Amino acid sequence: MESAKRSLVIVGGGFAGVWAALAAARQRRALRLDDEIAIRVVSPERAHGIRPRFYEADLSPAAVELARIFAPVGIEHVCDRAVGLDLGRREVQLADGRLPFDALVWALGSTLVRPRLPGAERLHSVDTLADAAALDRHLRALAAGPELAGRDTIVVVGAGFTGLEAATELVTRFARLLGRAVRVVLVERSPHVGPEFGPDARAVIEAALAELGVAVRTGATVAELGPDAVALSSGETIATRTVVWSAGVQAHPAARWLGPPADAAGRLAVDAQLQVTGQRAIFAAGDVARALVDGEQPAMMSCQHAIPQGRYAGHNALRLLAGRSLKRYEQRLYLTCLDLGAWGGLLTCGFDRNRILAIRDDAARLKRFINTTAIYPPLDADPAALLRAAAPPPGGRLASAVVRWAVSSPRVRRVIAARATTPASAAPATALIAG
């Protein structure tokens, strides 16, 4: 590593980290500082996992090699794990050495909160690519194996975004493997499925679950896990060989290395430029940051907010090193596009997740466009395309109003839906959905 260069270090290779690196590279090129500032991304994985796709049956498109998007624009990937942080020395402590920094972007994302129950090691999830692959192997082994009590029943715990998408996908996915109808039971501690949604949107979700034949158990959680059954807090016992856990996420525990948590999710407090409160030249983005999208409303823990936050954080970190002004993070529009399996999908607008813009096939086509195109960086190794895609989106009331009009327009939605089959390699990330 060239010691003469100033160093921008980005910790995390997920959505926020990848887009922070690309945005920093874009700004470095614009300011003609390629020979003066090194950009390094620390991540133990060699691929960027496309997390919103981990519930899908085909995982082959769900990972993008980091070298494919970093090498063309001069970003260095440090394939290692951060194990500590020395703020006095301005160093990230790695499993295999130390990495000095002049500016830092903390983008380690979130982790699934697993229960402390006997037998919890038997739980499956779709939180990581490895977890999703393990679930797929398990389902295939069950389908190929002998008849067992509970073999054709899957219990999904947690009826939030991930649980709903996993449950509705598994209805047809596992039936296809077994060659017959299966039973999926969705368990939720709250009184309603989709507790993050408003009442109108929940009614759509409930109708979709009923049509798909997904059984619902609300006001309950897992009390005991066994090899062939799960006992619920309601007293019911369900024979099953497969329990998928999706009940809650927290900011990565390493967020605490930079300061006390700012909310119940363990996220870091950041200012309007995404600098960590009380820290110099240290930024946070994505699920690890409690960022306010409009000065009041906290961003959600989702790639929809992680991608633009990464762009802003990388942009600002590079400009701070260059002694330039920083850009204020704004992202007033919030969309929810939920995959509901063979039933279709649900598209809502607003932080209350209750203004319904589209359902069934229209929403499903948009969801496919998001999952296969909008959240990917350009994959054709074109440096210019990579840097163009990394620009922080315009903020403010005018941009917010334009985008809100666009997603409310049937004509615009039809255009987007028509592009839903566009290969990810052929299209850059779109500002409409991803930022």
Side-chain angles (χ1 to χ4, degrees), residues 274-300:
L274 301 183
Q275 289 193 90
V276 175
T277 302
Q279 300 293 345
R280 180 175 60 85
I282 298 178
F283 299 77
D287 287 358
V288 81
R290 187 183 185 276
L292 302 181
V293 297
D294 57 0
E296 295 182 9
Q297 173 67 46
M300 301 299 175

Side-chain angles (χ1 to χ4, degrees), residues 219-391:
T221 188
V222 173
E224 188 176 340
L225 289 160
D228 55 6
V230 58
L232 303 183
S233 59
S234 61
E236 180 181 5
T237 298
I238 302 171
T240 181
R241 303 276 169 168
T242 310
V243 181
V244 180
W245 189 267
S246 65
V249 296
Q250 286 273 307
H252 194 286
R256 294 178 181 271
W257 300 349
L258 283 168
D263 61 13
R267 298 187 291 181
L268 289 163
V270 296
D271 66 14
Q273 289 73 38
L274 301 183
Q275 289 193 90
V276 175
T277 302
Q279 300 293 345
R280 180 175 60 85
I282 298 178
F283 299 77
D287 287 358
V288 81
R290 187 183 185 276
L292 302 181
V293 297
D294 57 0
E296 295 182 9
Q297 173 67 46
M300 301 299 175
M301 297 173 79
S302 71
C303 68
Q304 182 180 165
H305 283 140
I307 291 172
Q309 282 179 28
R311 292 178 185 147
Y312 278 99
H315 173 96
N316 284 345
L318 197 290
R319 287 184 66 86
L320 184 144
L321 288 180
R324 305 298 180 93
S325 61
L326 309 186
K327 190 175 181 69
R328 182 185 181 89
Y329 165 64
E330 284 188 292
Q331 191 183 354
R332 295 173 183 271
L333 181 72
Y334 178 61
L335 299 176
T336 298
C337 200
L338 184 70
D339 187 350
L340 292 170
W343 186 89
L346 168 65
L347 174 66
T348 71
C349 180
F351 285 97
D352 61 356
R353 304 181 186 92
N354 201 47
R355 180 185 173 196
I356 298 171
L357 297 180
I359 62 169
R360 288 201 178 259
D361 290 347
D362 284 345
R365 281 193 293 269
L366 183 57
K367 177 68 173 182
R368 283 195 294 274
F369 171 66
I370 293 169
N371 273 18
T372 63
T373 303
I375 58 178
Y376 282 76
L379 301 180
D380 54 8
D382 177 9
L386 284 162
L387 298 182
R388 277 198 307 271

Side-chain angles (χ1 to χ4, degrees), residues 14-250:
F15 286 104
V18 163
W19 287 98
L22 292 173
R26 177 182 182 274
Q27 195 58 207
R28 180 178 63 178
R29 180 70 53 84
L31 297 176
R32 300 182 180 180
L33 295 173
D34 293 77
D35 295 330
E36 298 181 30
I37 298 176
I39 301 170
R40 300 180 175 110
V41 177
V42 177
S43 170
E45 292 84 21
R46 296 188 181 277
H48 165 37
I50 308 301
R51 196 175 186 180
R53 303 195 67 171
F54 290 171
Y55 70 94
E56 297 178 11
D58 181 10
L59 296 174
S60 56
V64 176
E65 290 294 320
L66 290 173
R68 184 175 181 181
I69 50 180
F70 285 170
V73 291
I75 298 168
E76 179 184 345
H77 176 215
V78 180
C79 192
D80 207 335
R81 187 181 302 277
V83 297
L85 188 60
D86 190 327
L87 293 174
R89 293 187 176 186
R90 314 288 283 177
E91 290 179 338
V92 179
Q93 298 167 342
L94 306 176
D96 187 25
R98 294 170 176 267
L99 189 61
F101 64 86
D102 296 289
L104 179 68
V105 176
W106 208 243
L108 276 171
S110 58
T111 58
L112 184 67
V113 180
R114 295 177 180 271
R116 295 181 179 179
L117 289 172
E121 70 279 358
R122 287 189 287 270
L123 290 172
H124 292 275
S125 82
V126 290
D127 186 52
T128 69
L129 189 58
D131 291 342
L135 173 61
D136 186 64
R137 290 193 299 270
H138 168 79
L139 294 176
R140 291 179 183 278
L142 274 182
E147 290 288 347
L148 297 168
R151 181 176 81 145
D152 62 351
T153 296
I154 297 175
V155 175
V156 178
V157 185
F161 291 89
T162 302
L164 288 167
E165 292 189 328
T168 52
E169 167 79 7
L170 286 167
V171 170
T172 52
R173 175 178 165 186
F174 194 39
R176 201 174 294 123
L177 286 173
L178 274 181
R180 64 171 185 264
V182 300
R183 183 184 185 216
V184 174
V185 182
L186 184 59
V187 178
E188 169 57 44
R189 183 191 297 269
S190 301
H192 309 283
V193 294
E196 304 97 333
F197 288 86
D200 296 341
R202 279 203 305 271
V204 172
I205 293 168
E206 289 164 359
L209 293 174
E211 189 171 314
L212 290 169
V214 175
V216 173
R217 302 288 187 271
T218 55
T221 188
V222 173
E224 188 176 340
L225 289 160
D228 55 6
V230 58
L232 303 183
S233 59
S234 61
E236 180 181 5
T237 298
I238 302 171
T240 181
R241 303 276 169 168
T242 310
V243 181
V244 180
W245 189 267
S246 65
V249 296
Q250 286 273 307

